Amino acid sequence: MILVLKQGISKEDTDNICLWMSKFGVSANPIFGSGTTIIGLVGDTSSIDVHLFDNDERIEKVMKVQEPFKRANRKFHPDDTIVDAGHGVMIGGSKIIIAAGPCSVESDEQVGLIAGAVKDSGAKIVRGGAFKPRTSPYAFQGLKAEGLMYMRNAGQRNDMPVVSEITNPSQIELFNDYVDIIQVGTRNMQNFELLKELGKSRKPILLKRGFANTIEELLMSAEYIMSSGNQNVILCERGIRTYETATRNTLDISAVPVLKRMSHLPVFVDPSHAAGMAWLVEPLSKAAIAAGADGLIIEVHNDPKNALSDGQQSLTPEEFSGLMNKLKPLAELMGRSI
Amino acid sequence: MILVLKQGISKEDTDNICLWMSKFGVSANPIFGSGTTIIGLVGDTSSIDVHLFDNDERIEKVMKVQEPFKRANRKFHPDDTIVDAGHGVMIGGSKIIIAAGPCSVESDEQVGLIAGAVKDSGAKIVRGGAFKPRTSPYAFQGLKAEGLMYMRNAGQRNDMPVVSEITNPSQIELFNDYVDIIQVGTRNMQNFELLKELGKSRKPILLKRGFANTIEELLMSAEYIMSSGNQNVILCERGIRTYETATRNTLDISAVPVLKRMSHLPVFVDPSHAAGMAWLVEPLSKAAIAAGADGLIIEVHNDPKNALSDGQQSLTPEEFSGLMNKLKPLAELMGRSI
Amino acid sequence: MILVLKQGISKEDTDNICLWMSKFGVSANPIFGSGTTIIGLVGDTSSIDVHLFDNDERIEKVMKVQEPFKRANRKFHPDDTIVDAGHGVMIGGSKIIIAAGPCSVESDEQVGLIAGAVKDSGAKIVRGGAFKPRTSPYAFQGLKAEGLMYMRNAGQRNDMPVVSEITNPSQIELFNDYVDIIQVGTRNMQNFELLKELGKSRKPILLKRGFANTIEELLMSAEYIMSSGNQNVILCERGIRTYETATRNTLDISAVPVLKRMSHLPVFVDPSHAAGMAWLVEPLSKAAIAAGADGLIIEVHNDPKNALSDGQQSLTPEEFSGLMNKLKPLAELMGRSI
Amino acid sequence: MILVLKQGISKEDTDNICLWMSKFGVSANPIFGSGTTIIGLVGDTSSIDVHLFDNDERIEKVMKVQEPFKRANRKFHPDDTIVDAGHGVMIGGSKIIIAAGPCSVESDEQVGLIAGAVKDSGAKIVRGGAFKPRTSPYAFQGLKAEGLMYMRNAGQRNDMPVVSEITNPSQIELFNDYVDIIQVGTRNMQNFELLKELGKSRKPILLKRGFANTIEELLMSAEYIMSSGNQNVILCERGIRTYETATRNTLDISAVPVLKRMSHLPVFVDPSHAAGMAWLVEPLSKAAIAAGADGLIIEVHNDPKNALSDGQQSLTPEEFSGLMNKLKPLAELMGRSI
């Protein structure tokens, strides 16, 4: 941590700050310049809140030298984390894992059918929403617990792990019972109460980036889960909000290599939500794999035109099968497999 | 609702779509152009999901003619809503209401002291955080239930309503017992589970705009609360996330007149969080009142340098008193009072 | 074009608006609804300015049905445009074209050396900046005309077309003489005076997207050049400005398939400027090709550490050669070649 | 300037870097920490390019301690700059200066009429566009030199300085002859060729912030003009591009106090372009003055409905007069006058 002092600060003031800092157990090293004096703080500065100096009239600004996340940081954990999703599915290893399924679970039969179809095409995980966070209170809100039950059925019948989105800490028991991977949606990435509860679960957490959150904030939210005890976190880029309106969100493709470099956690991409349109899913899926993603989560619906939510971005099982046939050789070119 | 058909669509296809639409109880009126055919849908289109047409290969795009929010809409409720916050404080009327207090409650004595001081300067509501949503799991998380108790004490001793932020639906009983106004923070504006629960409360809700949410989304979140039964919603602009880094957030001052025009609900401004720096609170407070805000929520701390959170943006009670002396004549020039 | 009338507008007013519109040579078709009346305008509405109605107290809003760009629009020009860059290099066909070279031209020898090296690795065009738009007036501003001369030499010696950025309409003669492709940089995408002049040139124009411009605005800028007479426009995505600070800009990878769908013009990607860091160039180059880009423009410098500008994002010739070896099989998998 | 070294860097490497830095005439002070070593550079670091270290494998990152602009910086020039606009109009002093007039000059009579009307209401400067930068090549492009002549006439007849926007360095002589203040529009804020030319003029420059440029970049563009010899720069906030679509742009009201603190230059606000709608001009004008603006630039048109550009955001002369009657007492409350 570096303190930049105000111009014209006295030697005495500088010494006083150094003395003050030494009480935090760090070593304070002043550098006297012609115009500016700075103090370099060396040692464990984690106990010093960066805002401690905010109203200190002697200090111009404070600069952090180190990243604020530890457990998610590749520096302290150089090897890739591999998350065991159950049913033999390992996330973050040499295989690229594709999760697919409907935006909303609509019936036991529907999700079972789709699960079987996507599995035949090579998907390893079935996805489906039971608790739906919708911008409008007048839109379909999901089948809730019943939907989770259908998800579990679909997973068991097809021997696949299932992933579904949680929206409230009170649902955790239900999710512990019914799903293999718990998804945190974009609107809940900074629902810290929820993250802390998920830290007590042993289930893998698919943590989606908030649509207006930075990469560092995503890693800080992973840190919430990990510091509460659950190390099985999968990060997921799903598009951010920008001024551009031609697509629903702007897929931040650079986030994939940046996250892989900063963290040891697996990185997924959700091309369906980033694009908002089915025809964009193919080019964005290819781009994600080319950029190094460990997996994709793709919306597939047997009848997109009559889907209860997000039909416009869903592929049919046939389209999904065609996509998978294109992604497989691409994965191999990248030294991996699907 | 208007359907724009794909170029070259046949007369027969157009007739089929009109027939289909008529089953929804609306009247479908085709207009045949040289290049483009459109269909105007007249009647109650609220039962037609805009995504119904998403994958329809006959339809180019769908345009909504009306806003998706009803209860919060000034068109259907032309008169200003006035929210009764208790202790004789009415929000949204001719008086501009100032809420002030510490970012975090630190002790019974602290919040009581600050409450008394800000009341002397003209504040009508005391604010203070007990459950703190923090980006880092390693930062101070608030005094929780104990903090709420101190808030209630401060309010009772000083005969003022108190406002504090809720972060989890499970806290609602606690908030119903202890606070007069329940605040929804920027990270929870789209925590729809929480909003639905708040709709069942009778307490006024101070709904802060999400830092990356549109004005329409803010009104849709108000709609969640109102459609669940609670009409006492106060909207609050607190700065949005943009590419600019000179301030913590960019205060969207236009949101004040835009919200006042679109909705009948009272509109507050939070200059402290928008700015992130104490010296900016004065100009932004003035701008907010000049733009027509119904109230402000300002951070005041007795010892900002040692505050447990957000000290850099807090005023001292003396600075707050000086600010209030400048805001009072401004409110009067605007035809209101503080 | 669709006019949505204010609520409660009279039949007489509606008829008057229809009569008024008919004077523009279009057919006006009113649809009377229970709450809302709309008027559909059919025919050539291009002579009607959308702002004509801005202050008309009878009209709620105006909705455009068609895109405002014509010449760049794939609807009116379904086949891909192929731009002949000279020296046998065709852009927009089955070959993916790689342009490479230094950010700034530093000497005749330097650019000649780099041109030879990148050609050996498979680059088809040499790039290099002679007129440098720099945020700071105190930074290196380029070798100017001398730099262009060195570019021409490098192109001639290596039998490659050269591309360089123009910053002022007064430089056009110089560029017509010395370069094969004229680049419009991100800060000049809406320098309309410059675009109009370039429309009079016969040289291909590499038009970079403004760092805060929409895809539609990019196509409108292409329209400026094309409507002034020059149809040889190559579009280039190079990252947009967002709130994220982990990368210099956010590469909008979706812009590639969106532009290919909306327009018939070739689409390039600049991974170097989007990323701002050399290690990101490889994953972003792969993503761009996977998403369907027709070409890349990559910074290569013989001595990045001592480059006069943008060294941090430049590859060495050896790194570039390694990258090309990875991109070639990827291009083939996409049904193309490099 | 501070260099943060990579973890595990040797003592010898550190010494070598210090030796290297000393050749730039600065003093290099290493601080050896447990995990991290930093080097503080003291002295005149302006000759050291921050990118010098970009590919240095020994250096993790470089932190700038000082702002990169000098002439525009209040630190080196504490007193407010007052710009003499001619005709007795001083900008940046105790008077708040209002510039008003049409978006586009349409005829000699029109601009003369409006100039007289706005002067009667208290405006001190007449504005009007002759060279219009328009997104679409098919929109009205302005009367050009003829328009400037009409502007000069309007100024002379009414004894007022006139301001108009320049779009090309080749127009400078024309502007030197015909206008009193030369405006740089939002799309040309980083047209560095134009800025350098304007630095050679003696006319005051009204420099509008680019719609996606930071406050620091605005000051760097002012620096371009000032370092080329012209110190008469007026900064102008006019709204920035964000994800919000309810207004044309988001007026960054905080930019006013931030610019006043960082720089000694006068700060204007353009509420017309920020809002994009006439009814928003009043609240935004009030907010701007309350926040400390030194002036406003407002669009006024005698017949907004038939204006050739931007009619929807123009006030009539009567509306402008009503607005001025509200702004005058507000200016006085702020200790200034109009």
Side-chain angles (χ1 to χ4, degrees):
Chain A
M1 198 177 270
I2 292 161
L3 308 182
V4 180
L5 306 191
K6 287 253 169 70
Q7 283 196 308
I9 206 77
S10 69
K11 174 83 173 59
E12 194 191 334
D13 270 336
T14 308
D15 290 345
N16 283 338
I17 297 170
C18 291
L19 193 65
W20 177 33
M21 287 299 100
S22 65
K23 292 180 188 156
F24 287 87
V26 300
S27 150
N29 303 270
I31 303 174
F32 300 96
S34 50
T36 308
T37 298
I38 66 173
I39 299 178
L41 301 182
V42 171
D44 179 11
T45 58
S46 64
S47 64
I48 306 179
D49 188 333
V50 70
H51 295 306
L52 181 65
F53 313 99
D54 284 331
N55 282 295
D56 195 312
E57 64 280 359
R58 300 166 301 182
I59 291 170
E60 176 85 22
K61 59 179 164 182
V62 180
M63 291 163 150
K64 287 188 302 180
V65 172
Q66 276 147 344
E67 287 116 352
F69 51 97
K70 309 282 174 204
R71 285 180 178 76
N73 200 326
R74 193 178 276 278
K75 278 190 196 145
F76 308 121
H77 187 311
D79 293 333
D80 285 346
T81 283
I82 295 180
V83 173
D84 183 345
H87 297 266
V89 176
M90 310 302 286
I91 297 173
S94 69
K95 266 194 174 306
I96 293 175
I97 303 298
I98 312 295
C103 180
S104 296
V105 177
E106 294 171 19
S107 72
D108 197 20
E109 197 198 349
Q110 172 232 24
V111 67
L113 242 157
I114 298 177
V118 300
K119 188 177 187 188
D120 287 347
S121 303
K124 292 286 180 291
I125 300 174
V126 58
R127 59 146 290 155
F131 294 87
K132 300 300 301 172
R134 303 298 295 270
T135 306
S136 166
Y138 309 120
F140 175 62
Q141 308 273 323
L143 290 185
K144 306 199 169 86
E146 196 187 336
L148 285 191
M149 236 156 36
Y150 300 158
M151 286 299 293
R152 188 191 52 176
N153 293 345
Q156 288 181 340
R157 267 186 247 130
N158 294 283
D159 187 23
M160 299 167 85
V162 305
V163 58
S164 195
E165 180 177 351
I166 194 169
T167 58
N168 190 326
S170 69
Q171 301 154 356
I172 277 202
E173 272 187 60
L174 211 54
F175 276 75
N176 278 335
D177 287 351
Y178 285 144
V179 310
D180 302 283
I181 304 172
I182 306 177
Q183 178 179 319
V184 178
T186 190
R187 285 176 185 76
N188 282 310
M189 191 202 88
Q190 292 198 317
N191 184 337
F192 302 120
E193 298 286 321
L194 181 60
L195 301 179
K196 280 184 266 187
E197 286 304 312
L198 292 169
K200 299 175 199 155
S201 172
R202 287 289 77 78
K203 298 279 182 182
I205 310 299
L206 181 72
L207 179 65
K208 286 193 154 188
R209 180 179 181 181
F211 61 73
N213 285 107
T214 61
I215 288 172
E216 184 175 303
E217 287 168 344
L218 172 58
L219 291 169
M220 289 307 290
S221 286
E223 196 79 8
Y224 254 100
I225 299 168
M226 298 171 87
S227 67
S228 303
N230 186 348
Q231 311 305 313
N232 297 309
V233 178
I234 305 148
L235 307 170
C236 183
E237 161 62 30
R238 48 78 69 206
I240 60 173
R241 183 163 272 189
T242 69
Y243 65 84
E244 176 61 68
T245 55
T247 44
R248 184 191 282 185
N249 293 282
T250 299
L251 182 68
D252 182 5
I253 193 73
S254 313
V256 177
V258 169
L259 283 170
K260 293 296 292 176
R261 190 182 178 95
M262 293 173 80
S263 177
H264 50 88
L265 297 172
V267 177
F268 265 49
V269 167
D270 175 347
S272 305
H273 281 89
M277 289 171 287
W279 68 268
L280 267 171
V281 172
E282 179 178 321
L284 296 188
S285 295
K286 288 175 176 170
I289 288 178
D294 295 306
L296 302 175
I297 177 162
I298 296 179
E299 290 195 1
V300 175
H301 194 281
N302 51 321
D303 182 11
K305 218 182 290 187
N306 293 311
L308 291 180
S309 60
D310 281 350
Q312 78 283 8
Q313 69 199 31
S314 293
L315 305 184
T316 61
E318 294 69 37
E319 291 166 337
F320 178 72
S321 167
L323 172 64
M324 290 294 276
N325 288 338
K326 291 175 183 161
L327 298 184
K328 283 168 192 169
L330 179 57
E332 276 169 38
L333 188 66
M334 302 294 295
R336 306 181 76 166
S337 66
I338 286 183
Chain B
M1 199 177 266
I2 292 161
L3 308 181
V4 180
L5 306 190
K6 285 255 169 69
Q7 283 196 308
I9 205 79
S10 70
K11 173 82 173 59
E12 195 192 335
D13 271 336
T14 308
D15 289 346
N16 283 338
I17 298 170
C18 289
L19 194 68
W20 176 34
M21 287 298 100
S22 65
K23 292 180 187 156
F24 288 87
V26 300
S27 152
N29 302 268
I31 302 175
F32 299 96
S34 50
T36 308
T37 299
I38 66 171
I39 299 178
L41 301 181
V42 169
D44 179 11
T45 57
S46 64
S47 63
I48 306 178
D49 188 333
V50 71
H51 297 304
L52 183 63
F53 313 101
D54 284 330
N55 282 296
D56 195 312
E57 65 281 359
R58 301 165 302 182
I59 291 170
E60 175 85 23
K61 61 179 161 181
V62 180
M63 290 163 151
K64 287 186 304 177
V65 172
Q66 276 146 345
E67 287 117 351
F69 51 97
K70 309 284 174 204
R71 284 179 177 78
N73 199 324
R74 191 178 276 280
K75 277 191 195 145
F76 309 121
H77 188 310
D79 294 334
D80 284 347
T81 282
I82 295 180
V83 173
D84 183 347
H87 297 267
V89 175
M90 310 300 286
I91 296 173
S94 67
K95 266 192 175 305
I96 293 174
I97 303 298
I98 312 295
C103 180
S104 296
V105 177
E106 294 171 18
S107 72
D108 197 21
E109 196 198 351
Q110 171 232 27
V111 68
L113 241 157
I114 297 178
V118 299
K119 188 179 186 184
D120 287 347
S121 303
K124 293 285 180 293
I125 300 174
V126 59
R127 60 145 289 155
F131 294 87
K132 301 300 302 171
R134 304 297 296 272
T135 305
S136 166
Y138 309 120
F140 175 61
Q141 307 272 325
L143 291 185
K144 309 206 169 83
E146 194 186 338
L148 285 191
M149 237 158 32
Y150 301 158
M151 285 300 292
R152 188 190 55 178
N153 293 346
Q156 287 181 339
R157 270 186 244 130
N158 294 283
D159 187 23
M160 299 167 85
V162 306
V163 58
S164 195
E165 179 177 351
I166 193 169
T167 57
N168 190 324
S170 69
Q171 300 155 354
I172 277 203
E173 271 186 61
L174 211 56
F175 276 75
N176 278 335
D177 287 352
Y178 286 144
V179 310
D180 301 282
I181 305 172
I182 305 176
Q183 178 179 319
V184 178
T186 190
R187 285 177 185 75
N188 281 309
M189 192 202 89
Q190 292 198 318
N191 184 337
F192 302 121
E193 299 286 321
L194 180 60
L195 300 179
K196 280 185 267 188
E197 286 304 311
L198 292 169
K200 298 177 198 153
S201 172
R202 288 290 76 80
K203 297 282 181 180
I205 309 299
L206 181 72
L207 179 65
K208 287 194 155 186
R209 180 179 183 180
F211 60 73
N213 286 108
T214 62
I215 288 173
E216 185 175 303
E217 287 169 343
L218 172 59
L219 290 168
M220 289 308 290
S221 286
E223 197 78 8
Y224 254 100
I225 299 169
M226 298 170 86
S227 68
S228 303
N230 186 350
Q231 311 304 312
N232 297 309
V233 177
I234 304 149
L235 306 169
C236 184
E237 161 64 30
R238 48 78 70 207
I240 60 174
R241 183 163 274 188
T242 70
Y243 65 84
E244 176 61 67
T245 53
T247 45
R248 182 192 285 187
N249 293 283
T250 298
L251 181 69
D252 182 5
I253 193 72
S254 311
V256 177
V258 169
L259 284 169
K260 294 296 293 176
R261 190 184 179 96
M262 293 173 81
S263 177
H264 49 88
L265 297 172
V267 177
F268 265 48
V269 167
D270 175 345
S272 304
H273 281 88
M277 290 170 286
W279 69 269
L280 267 171
V281 172
E282 179 178 320
L284 296 187
S285 295
K286 288 174 175 171
I289 289 179
D294 295 306
L296 302 175
I297 179 161
I298 295 177
E299 291 195 1
V300 175
H301 193 281
N302 49 320
D303 182 11
K305 217 181 289 187
N306 292 311
L308 291 179
S309 60
D310 281 350
Q312 80 283 11
Q313 68 199 30
S314 293
L315 305 184
T316 62
E318 295 68 39
E319 290 166 338
F320 178 71
S321 168
L323 171 64
M324 290 294 276
N325 287 338
K326 290 175 183 161
L327 298 183
K328 283 169 191 169
L330 179 57
E332 275 171 36
L333 188 67
M334 303 294 295
R336 306 182 76 168
S337 67
I338 287 181
Chain C
M1 198 178 268
I2 292 161
L3 308 181
V4 180
L5 306 190
K6 286 254 169 69
Q7 283 197 309
I9 205 78
S10 71
K11 173 80 173 60
E12 196 192 335
D13 270 336
T14 308
D15 289 347
N16 284 338
I17 297 169
C18 290
L19 193 67
W20 177 32
M21 287 298 100
S22 66
K23 292 180 188 158
F24 287 88
V26 300
S27 152
N29 302 269
I31 302 175
F32 299 96
S34 49
T36 308
T37 298
I38 66 170
I39 299 178
L41 301 181
V42 170
D44 179 11
T45 57
S46 64
S47 64
I48 306 178
D49 188 333
V50 71
H51 296 304
L52 183 63
F53 313 100
D54 284 330
N55 282 295
D56 196 312
E57 64 281 0
R58 300 166 302 182
I59 291 170
E60 176 84 22
K61 59 179 162 182
V62 180
M63 290 162 151
K64 287 187 303 180
V65 172
Q66 277 146 344
E67 286 117 351
F69 51 97
K70 310 283 174 204
R71 283 179 179 78
N73 199 325
R74 193 178 276 278
K75 278 190 195 146
F76 309 121
H77 189 309
D79 293 335
D80 284 347
T81 283
I82 295 179
V83 173
D84 183 346
H87 297 266
V89 176
M90 310 301 286
I91 297 173
S94 68
K95 266 194 176 304
I96 293 176
I97 303 298
I98 313 295
C103 180
S104 296
V105 177
E106 293 171 19
S107 73
D108 198 20
E109 197 198 351
Q110 171 232 24
V111 67
L113 241 157
I114 297 178
V118 299
K119 187 178 185 184
D120 287 346
S121 304
K124 293 284 179 293
I125 300 174
V126 59
R127 58 145 291 155
F131 294 87
K132 301 299 303 172
R134 303 298 296 270
T135 306
S136 166
Y138 308 120
F140 175 61
Q141 308 273 322
L143 289 185
K144 308 204 168 85
E146 195 186 336
L148 285 191
M149 238 157 33
Y150 300 158
M151 285 300 292
R152 189 191 52 178
N153 294 346
Q156 288 181 340
R157 268 185 246 129
N158 295 282
D159 187 23
M160 299 167 85
V162 305
V163 58
S164 196
E165 178 176 353
I166 193 169
T167 58
N168 190 324
S170 69
Q171 301 154 355
I172 277 202
E173 272 187 60
L174 211 54
F175 275 75
N176 278 335
D177 287 351
Y178 287 143
V179 311
D180 302 283
I181 305 173
I182 306 177
Q183 177 178 321
V184 178
T186 190
R187 286 177 184 75
N188 281 311
M189 191 203 89
Q190 292 198 316
N191 184 337
F192 303 120
E193 300 286 320
L194 180 61
L195 300 180
K196 280 186 267 188
E197 286 305 311
L198 293 169
K200 298 176 198 153
S201 172
R202 288 291 77 80
K203 298 280 181 181
I205 310 299
L206 180 73
L207 179 65
K208 288 194 154 185
R209 180 179 182 182
F211 61 73
N213 285 107
T214 62
I215 288 173
E216 184 175 304
E217 287 168 344
L218 172 59
L219 290 168
M220 289 307 290
S221 286
E223 196 79 7
Y224 253 99
I225 299 168
M226 297 170 88
S227 68
S228 302
N230 186 350
Q231 312 305 312
N232 298 309
V233 178
I234 304 147
L235 307 169
C236 184
E237 161 65 28
R238 46 78 70 208
I240 60 174
R241 183 164 273 190
T242 69
Y243 66 84
E244 177 60 68
T245 54
T247 44
R248 184 193 283 186
N249 294 282
T250 299
L251 181 69
D252 182 5
I253 194 73
S254 312
V256 177
V258 169
L259 283 169
K260 293 297 292 178
R261 189 182 178 95
M262 293 173 81
S263 177
H264 50 88
L265 297 171
V267 177
F268 264 49
V269 167
D270 175 347
S272 304
H273 281 88
M277 289 171 288
W279 67 270
L280 267 171
V281 171
E282 179 178 320
L284 296 187
S285 295
K286 289 175 175 170
I289 288 178
D294 295 306
L296 301 175
I297 178 162
I298 296 177
E299 290 195 1
V300 175
H301 195 282
N302 49 320
D303 183 12
K305 218 183 289 190
N306 293 311
L308 291 179
S309 58
D310 282 349
Q312 79 283 11
Q313 69 199 32
S314 293
L315 305 184
T316 61
E318 294 70 36
E319 290 166 337
F320 177 72
S321 168
L323 172 64
M324 290 293 275
N325 287 338
K326 291 175 184 162
L327 298 184
K328 283 169 191 170
L330 179 56
E332 275 170 37
L333 187 66
M334 302 294 295
R336 306 181 77 167
S337 66
I338 287 183
Chain D
M1 198 177 268
I2 292 160
L3 308 181
V4 179
L5 305 191
K6 286 253 170 70
Q7 284 197 308
I9 206 79
S10 70
K11 174 83 174 55
E12 194 191 337
D13 271 334
T14 308
D15 289 346
N16 283 338
I17 298 169
C18 290
L19 193 68
W20 177 31
M21 287 299 101
S22 66
K23 292 180 188 156
F24 287 87
V26 299
S27 151
N29 304 268
I31 303 175
F32 299 97
S34 49
T36 308
T37 299
I38 66 173
I39 300 178
L41 301 181
V42 171
D44 179 13
T45 58
S46 64
S47 64
I48 306 178
D49 188 333
V50 70
H51 296 306
L52 182 63
F53 312 100
D54 283 331
N55 283 295
D56 195 312
E57 64 280 1
R58 301 166 301 181
I59 291 170
E60 175 85 22
K61 60 180 162 181
V62 180
M63 291 163 150
K64 287 187 303 180
V65 172
Q66 275 145 346
E67 287 115 351
F69 51 98
K70 310 280 175 206
R71 286 179 177 78
N73 199 326
R74 193 178 276 279
K75 277 191 195 145
F76 309 121
H77 188 310
D79 293 334
D80 285 347
T81 282
I82 295 179
V83 173
D84 184 346
H87 298 266
V89 175
M90 310 300 285
I91 296 172
S94 67
K95 267 192 174 305
I96 293 175
I97 303 298
I98 313 294
C103 180
S104 295
V105 177
E106 294 172 17
S107 74
D108 197 21
E109 198 197 350
Q110 173 232 24
V111 67
L113 242 157
I114 297 177
V118 300
K119 188 179 186 184
D120 287 348
S121 303
K124 293 285 179 291
I125 300 174
V126 58
R127 59 145 290 155
F131 295 87
K132 301 299 303 171
R134 303 298 295 272
T135 306
S136 166
Y138 308 120
F140 175 63
Q141 307 272 323
L143 291 185
K144 307 202 169 88
E146 195 185 338
L148 284 191
M149 237 158 32
Y150 300 159
M151 284 300 292
R152 186 191 55 176
N153 293 346
Q156 287 181 340
R157 271 187 244 129
N158 294 283
D159 187 22
M160 299 167 83
V162 306
V163 59
S164 196
E165 179 176 352
I166 194 169
T167 58
N168 190 325
S170 69
Q171 301 155 355
I172 277 201
E173 271 186 61
L174 212 55
F175 275 75
N176 278 335
D177 287 352
Y178 286 144
V179 311
D180 302 283
I181 304 172
I182 305 177
Q183 178 179 318
V184 177
T186 190
R187 285 177 185 75
N188 282 309
M189 193 203 89
Q190 292 197 318
N191 184 337
F192 303 120
E193 299 286 320
L194 181 60
L195 300 180
K196 281 185 265 187
E197 285 304 311
L198 292 169
K200 298 177 198 153
S201 172
R202 289 289 78 78
K203 298 280 181 182
I205 309 299
L206 180 72
L207 178 65
K208 286 193 154 186
R209 180 178 181 181
F211 62 73
N213 285 108
T214 61
I215 288 173
E216 184 174 303
E217 287 168 344
L218 171 59
L219 291 168
M220 289 308 288
S221 286
E223 196 79 6
Y224 253 100
I225 300 169
M226 298 170 87
S227 68
S228 302
N230 186 350
Q231 311 305 312
N232 297 309
V233 178
I234 305 148
L235 307 169
C236 184
E237 161 64 30
R238 48 77 69 205
I240 60 173
R241 183 162 273 188
T242 70
Y243 66 82
E244 176 60 69
T245 55
T247 46
R248 185 191 284 186
N249 293 283
T250 298
L251 181 69
D252 182 6
I253 193 72
S254 313
V256 177
V258 169
L259 284 169
K260 294 296 292 177
R261 189 183 179 94
M262 292 173 81
S263 176
H264 50 88
L265 297 171
V267 177
F268 266 49
V269 168
D270 176 346
S272 304
H273 281 88
M277 290 171 286
W279 68 269
L280 266 172
V281 172
E282 179 177 320
L284 296 187
S285 295
K286 289 175 174 170
I289 289 179
D294 295 307
L296 302 174
I297 178 160
I298 295 177
E299 291 195 1
V300 175
H301 194 280
N302 50 320
D303 183 10
K305 216 181 291 187
N306 293 310
L308 291 179
S309 60
D310 281 349
Q312 78 283 9
Q313 69 199 32
S314 293
L315 305 183
T316 62
E318 295 69 38
E319 290 166 338
F320 178 72
S321 167
L323 172 63
M324 291 294 276
N325 288 338
K326 290 175 183 161
L327 298 184
K328 284 169 191 168
L330 178 57
E332 277 172 34
L333 187 66
M334 302 293 295
R336 307 181 75 167
S337 67
I338 287 181

